Amino acid sequence: MKVLLLGARGQLGSDLRLGGVAHEIVAPAREALDVTDAGAVRGAIAAARPDVVINCTAFHNVPLCESEPELAFRTNGVAVRDIAMACAERNVRLVTYSSDYVFGGDQTTPYSEDATPHPLQVYGITRLAGEHAALACAPEHAIVIRTCGLYGAAGSSSKGGNFVNGRVLEARAGHDLEMASEQVVSPTATTDLAHATWQLLLASGTTPGIYHLVNEGACSWFEFAQEIFALTRSRGTVRPVDRGARTGAMRRPRYSVLANTRARALGVTLRPWRDALADYVRTTWPEFA
Ligand SMILES: NC(=O)c1ccc[n+]([C@@H]2O[C@H](COP(=O)([O-])OP(=O)(O)OC[C@H]3O[C@@H](n4cnc5c(N)ncnc54)[C@H](OP(=O)(O)O)[C@@H]3O)[C@@H](O)[C@H]2O)c1
């Protein structure tokens, strides 16, 4: 399979590359291809002639999206539309990612793919716009993958790394932390998401539409941090704190656990979040093996 990979330097993009050695991957750097330049996107797809475009780009610093809504909409909405249109014109499959933040967090059981979105902040609105644009402009080609709480070896430059690495550093230093206990999520290793993405692309029954892909299970950010402190045998402690699911005035979903319903039906499954986290910590810091 020939793949044009956008956002290859990010944490998911890096793991897609590592796990995609069986494929021919063209991965232009951001400096060579800005996805908000529709003409450049069209030109890159025409030049690469891929079977699939995988779009890992996003503007996903959630608080920053509130102060820069136009850039958020351009990257997460308009660019996704332009990529989808170019894919549909050239009969190229498209995989593009979205977020648990399209949901409002009122449920107490995992959200399935057909649950009704209700974004609470600019970021979620722009992701929902991108989903609709991809499926409207490339209805026969687009796969939209919603995921949650990603961490991977490369880290996310726009988020200053990833949650796990940050907590491991604090745990090692023996710090005491306060962590939000009111937001329940499905943290996901990008190694596992990358593997599941390749499986989904290769599965014979995969049809266009929305798929959820997250590590199985759920935890609050407090429980997630607590597990990191346990794995690293930290002297420090983690205390739960209820921040009202807000960052300043911006609201976050209290519960955004995703159910991998459609992928599981195709035989694509991910392991429980605790197993993926333990693997990541022990691989990244062998001293904790
Ligand atoms: N991280 C999470 O917790 C999380 C949760 C739910 C969903 N997701 C979604 O999953 C996907 C992958 O996330 P990730 O954590 O792997 O992201 P990431 O590490 O932040 O990587 C994003 C990549 O996109 C590139 N990029 C951003 N804007 C661009 C533009 N205009 N043109 C070209 N490249 C651009 C970035 O370049 P630079 O490196 O130069 O910035 C970076 O390489 C994204 O759609 C993300 O929103 C992530």
Side-chain angles (χ1 to χ4, degrees), residues 146-210:
R146 292 188 187 129
T147 188
C148 173
L150 296 187
Y151 58 92
S156 167
S157 64
S158 68
K159 291 180 178 235
N162 71 49
F163 182 91
V164 178
N165 291 15
R167 300 301 78 73
V168 169
L169 292 183
E170 288 162 336
R172 252 181 171 168
H175 289 171
D176 297 324
L177 294 188
E178 286 188 340
M179 201 50 66
S181 55
E182 81 285 7
Q183 292 166 51
V184 179
V185 293
S186 314
T188 298
T190 51
T191 46
D192 292 18
L193 175 57
H195 183 65
T197 299
W198 289 122
Q199 284 184 307
L200 198 61
L201 267 171
L202 295 172
S204 57
T206 305
T207 51
I210 296 175

Side-chain angles (χ1 to χ4, degrees), residues 236-257:
T237 54
V238 188
R239 264 189 343 111
V241 58
D242 186 336
R243 299 209 169 100
R246 283 177 188 271
T247 302
M250 189 194 75
R251 292 191 295 160
R252 296 176 181 270
R254 283 183 177 270
Y255 182 94
S256 58
V257 178

Side-chain angles (χ1 to χ4, degrees), residues 3-276:
V3 180
L4 177 63
L5 180 60
L6 308 175
R9 202 160 51 196
Q11 42 187 0
L12 175 60
S14 301
D15 280 330
L16 279 164
R17 255 174 135 165
L18 286 173
V21 286
H23 308 291
E24 185 188 347
I25 299 181
V26 179
R30 181 180 187 153
E31 296 70 31
L33 179 60
D34 181 336
V35 295
T36 62
D37 180 341
V41 165
R42 191 176 291 269
I45 294 174
R49 302 168 67 88
D51 303 299
V52 188
V53 173
I54 303 182
N55 175 33
C56 300
T57 69
F59 182 40
H60 59 164
N61 181 318
V62 180
L64 213 53
C65 289
E66 295 291 310
S67 51
E68 297 188 43
E70 197 191 318
L71 180 58
F73 189 65
R74 229 183 307 138
T75 311
N76 301 336
V78 180
V80 177
R81 178 203 62 178
D82 294 334
I83 296 166
M85 279 171 62
C87 285
E89 275 165 26
R90 295 194 163 263
N91 198 25
V92 172
R93 292 173 88 193
L94 168 65
V95 174
T96 193
Y97 294 87
S98 183
S99 165
D100 56 318
Y101 270 42
V102 297
F103 293 117
D106 291 335
Q107 280 195 196
T108 51
T109 53
Y111 284 94
S112 64
E113 288 84 353
D114 55 8
T116 305
H118 180 181
L120 299 176
Q121 65 307 97
V122 170
Y123 172 65
I125 295 167
T126 65
R127 296 319 300 244
L128 187 58
E131 292 185 358
H132 283 306
L135 297 172
C137 296
E140 290 167 19
H141 299 86
I143 293 171
V144 173
I145 296 176
R146 292 188 187 129
T147 188
C148 173
L150 296 187
Y151 58 92
S156 167
S157 64
S158 68
K159 291 180 178 235
N162 71 49
F163 182 91
V164 178
N165 291 15
R167 300 301 78 73
V168 169
L169 292 183
E170 288 162 336
R172 252 181 171 168
H175 289 171
D176 297 324
L177 294 188
E178 286 188 340
M179 201 50 66
S181 55
E182 81 285 7
Q183 292 166 51
V184 179
V185 293
S186 314
T188 298
T190 51
T191 46
D192 292 18
L193 175 57
H195 183 65
T197 299
W198 289 122
Q199 284 184 307
L200 198 61
L201 267 171
L202 295 172
S204 57
T206 305
T207 51
I210 296 175
Y211 292 80
H212 290 175
L213 289 180
V214 289
N215 278 124
E216 289 291 338
C219 59
S220 66
W221 290 112
F222 158 68
E223 290 165 323
F224 194 48
Q226 216 180 20
E227 185 71 11
I228 295 166
F229 272 50
L231 286 166
T232 54
R233 301 183 284 278
S234 176
R235 288 181 285 114
T237 54
V238 188
R239 264 189 343 111
V241 58
D242 186 336
R243 299 209 169 100
R246 283 177 188 271
T247 302
M250 189 194 75
R251 292 191 295 160
R252 296 176 181 270
R254 283 183 177 270
Y255 182 94
S256 58
V257 178
L258 303 179
N260 302 333
T261 317
R262 291 191 68 199
R264 194 179 303 115
L266 294 168
V268 177
T269 55
L270 289 89
R271 59 191 163 160
W273 68 264
R274 275 181 208 280
D275 297 350

